[in-house]
Structure formats: structure tokens, C-alpha cells
Amino acid sequence: MVLLVLRLQLLYRSYLTSLTIPKMATNGDAVNGHNDDLSTLSNGVALIDRLRIRPTLTNGAGGDEKFTFSKEPTLEEVRRLQAEFTDERDWNQFHQPRNLLLALVGEVGEVSELFQWRGEVAEGLPGWTDSEREHLGQELSDVLIYLVELAEKCHVDLPQAVLRKMALNRLKYPASKVQGSSKKYTEYTD
């Protein structure tokens, strides 16, 4: 999945700068033994146009502007893109819930490594280089992709599950009772 995200990001950059699709830059190394040409992505430019992919971690980084996600792609589009990617490679035989969960945990570990030994990191990641931010975006993307695929394989409608969970959290943590506190809901008294 890292390869797909990297391909889309490189394709986006290429599209913006020259409208040509170069060979994939892999710092001199082939990815998984392949040095793929980005032009082999089916409808790559059309996909970029439709999803309007933008660079990672730019909105609100370092400014007073409130951060927001882009409207596209939706979780359903991410699910569909990953399903197509998996189907094209006949990887469904490996992408079962247990394996996806273990892969997800591994990717969370990779995100953790990026924060390890840094102490507290302020919102917007001041002091991080563009390369570090891009790396974080790739690792967070891996986490999201595995999470969405795990939800798909478990037949959990993730957007609806999020809405139900947020409603439950509002009941467990009423603002009037928990304002400014980090206690667990079981620690509050009426």
C-alpha cells in the first residue's frame, strides 16, 4: 500500500510541474524488486484530477488557520481504491482480518518510531522538516488504509460506527462534567 500512496504522491507532483509522468523515484532502490513506471497506473492522471489529491500536511501547518481534511477522497473511495489494488495482485488470500490487524499494529509502530525520543511535539509539528512530515503522512496513510480494509473485511461500516461511537462518548463524557479533565469516565462521580 505504501507503493500506491507513493505513486499517487509522485504522480501528483509530476502532474503539477510538467504534466509528464516520470519513472518512480525510489532513492535508487527498486520497491519490492520493481522499478515501476508511474504511467502504468490505470487512469492515474484522471484519478488525480477526480480526487484532487493535495500535498500531505500542508493545511494549517505552522499557522493560525484551523486544520481541516480535504473533502476527497472519502473513506468509501479509499476502501474501493485499496480493494482494487488488492484484487489486481490477488492478495485477498492474505488480507484476512487477523493479518490486517497485525499489519495495522506494525504500521502504528512505524508512526510511533517517528515520534520516539522527541518529547512532546506541538500541534502542527514545528521543527519537523518537509521530509519528516512527508514520511509521517505516508505512515499515517498506511495505518488508515489497513484500518479501512480491516473494517471492510469485518463488514463494519466505519463512518456509521464512528458516528455511533461519538454519540456514546458524548454520553460517557458530558462536557459539563469533564471540562478540562483527562480522567476516565469511570472516575467521575455525579
Side-chain angles (χ1 to χ4, degrees), residues 102-131:
L102 294 175
L104 173 63
V105 169
E107 294 299 338
V108 169
E110 291 186 30
V111 172
S112 298
E113 287 177 358
L114 299 178
F115 286 87
Q116 189 173 15
W117 312 121
R118 289 184 181 255
E120 286 300 317
V121 177
E123 183 175 343
L125 309 177
W128 285 45
T129 66
D130 289 343
S131 175

Side-chain angles (χ1 to χ4, degrees), residues 128-163:
W128 285 45
T129 66
D130 289 343
S131 175
E132 290 169 327
R133 290 168 184 272
E134 184 64 27
H135 190 189
L136 176 61
Q138 290 173 9
E139 297 305 336
L140 288 173
S141 295
D142 285 338
V143 169
L144 177 65
I145 289 163
Y146 277 124
L147 177 64
V148 168
E149 191 170 7
L150 177 61
E152 175 192 33
K153 298 297 182 179
C154 294
H155 296 186
V156 172
D157 182 348
L158 200 52
Q160 290 300 307
V162 166
L163 292 176

Side-chain angles (χ1 to χ4, degrees), residues 2-164:
V2 172
L3 183 58
L4 177 62
V5 171
L6 180 60
R7 282 181 168 182
L8 289 173
Q9 289 170 343
L10 289 171
L11 186 59
Y12 172 73
R13 286 190 199 109
S14 172
Y15 175 70
L16 288 181
T17 58
S18 67
L19 297 177
T20 61
I21 303 172
K23 294 281 187 184
M24 186 167 95
T26 58
N27 297 328
D29 298 327
V31 176
N32 295 331
H34 302 286
N35 193 3
D36 293 333
D37 183 342
L38 288 177
S39 63
T40 61
L41 284 175
S42 61
N43 287 331
V45 173
L47 176 67
I48 296 298
D49 284 341
R50 190 172 58 72
L51 296 179
R52 290 188 289 286
I53 294 174
R54 64 182 184 181
T56 317
L57 295 172
T58 57
N59 185 357
D64 292 336
E65 181 182 332
K66 182 94 170 153
F67 179 84
T68 60
F69 291 120
S70 56
K71 292 182 185 344
E72 295 178 325
T74 64
L75 280 181
E76 175 53 25
E77 287 174 316
V78 171
R79 186 211 56 79
R80 186 183 45 73
L81 287 169
Q82 176 58 21
E84 289 172 5
F85 182 85
T86 302
D87 288 344
E88 289 169 353
R89 287 153 184 79
D90 190 26
W91 284 354
N92 278 308
Q93 59 186 318
F94 311 115
H95 287 205
Q96 296 306 308
R98 177 187 169 277
N99 293 338
L100 292 168
L101 174 62
L102 294 175
L104 173 63
V105 169
E107 294 299 338
V108 169
E110 291 186 30
V111 172
S112 298
E113 287 177 358
L114 299 178
F115 286 87
Q116 189 173 15
W117 312 121
R118 289 184 181 255
E120 286 300 317
V121 177
E123 183 175 343
L125 309 177
W128 285 45
T129 66
D130 289 343
S131 175
E132 290 169 327
R133 290 168 184 272
E134 184 64 27
H135 190 189
L136 176 61
Q138 290 173 9
E139 297 305 336
L140 288 173
S141 295
D142 285 338
V143 169
L144 177 65
I145 289 163
Y146 277 124
L147 177 64
V148 168
E149 191 170 7
L150 177 61
E152 175 192 33
K153 298 297 182 179
C154 294
H155 296 186
V156 172
D157 182 348
L158 200 52
Q160 290 300 307
V162 166
L163 292 176
R164 288 190 303 274

